[in-house]
Amino acid sequence: MATTSKDQVREWRKELARKIAFFVGSKERLITEVPGLLLSRRTAPTAPASATYVPSLAVVAQGRKRADLAGTTFIFDESRYLLTSLDLPVICNVIEASEEMPYLCFVLKLEMPVIRELLTREEIQEPELPSDKPAMALGKTTPNY
């Protein structure tokens, strides 16, 4: 398996940011023609606001965002994605964004019945998680995943 250099990863992230910026344009939010795919852009940090996160995968190409859920803070950026498996009430805000380096993100809504079906077909080892863990998690964004 070939190794990936940090420069390659940086270039891939820049390319993802360019593509999101191209499609979203000057809008703050774009619901795309791809079912469940949302693009987001902010040019300044935002105030904390109440929201409901639905089952989804959020990948930040540029900038940083915070989501607070029941006393747990999740900060996701270019190096960490956010995975949500249930409808969850959060307080969230963009914490890193500017005109020169806007916050750019894509969110892919997950259809949980489809995910469950895929999991029954594949041999995927489920990690043992304590029952007190929320249905939201951060993961390391890598070129392989």
Side-chain angles (χ1 to χ4, degrees):
M1 181 176 184
T3 59
T4 305
S5 74
K6 287 182 182 182
D7 288 338
Q8 286 174 308
V9 171
R10 193 174 308 114
E11 282 306 310
W12 290 339
R13 285 187 179 134
K14 284 182 184 178
E15 182 61 21
L16 178 60
R18 280 191 291 268
K19 287 180 179 184
I20 292 171
F22 173 79
F23 284 105
V24 78
S26 62
K27 299 178 190 92
E28 289 184 350
R29 183 179 151 138
L30 174 68
I31 297 172
T32 70
E33 293 181 20
V34 176
L37 181 62
L38 166 79
L39 304 178
S40 182
R41 175 183 175 272
R42 291 293 188 150
T43 57
T46 60
S50 296
T52 299
Y53 278 12
V54 298
S56 57
L57 171 67
V59 176
V60 175
Q62 191 170 275
R64 182 171 292 165
K65 190 169 187 177
R66 173 180 34 235
D68 293 315
L69 171 67
T72 302
T73 298
F74 299 86
I75 296 179
F76 50 110
D77 56 18
E78 298 99 334
S79 64
R80 293 175 300 259
Y81 63 84
L82 182 72
L83 182 63
T84 306
S85 62
L86 298 172
D87 289 357
L88 297 170
V90 298
I91 305 294
C92 60
N93 63 306
V94 172
I95 57 176
E96 188 176 298
S98 67
E99 286 285 341
E100 300 78 32
M101 295 289 287
Y103 167 82
L104 298 166
C105 177
F106 78 79
V107 177
L108 182 61
K109 185 177 175 185
L110 302 175
E111 297 295 334
M112 293 312 289
V114 174
I115 300 297
R116 283 186 205 96
E117 174 67 24
L118 287 173
L119 289 174
T120 63
R121 293 181 185 184
E122 298 295 322
E123 292 184 29
I124 298 173
Q125 293 289 338
E126 292 187 44
E128 292 278 333
L129 294 176
S131 60
D132 65 342
K133 291 290 183 190
M136 185 179 281
L138 295 171
K140 185 176 179 182
T141 306
T142 67
N144 301 328
Y145 300 101

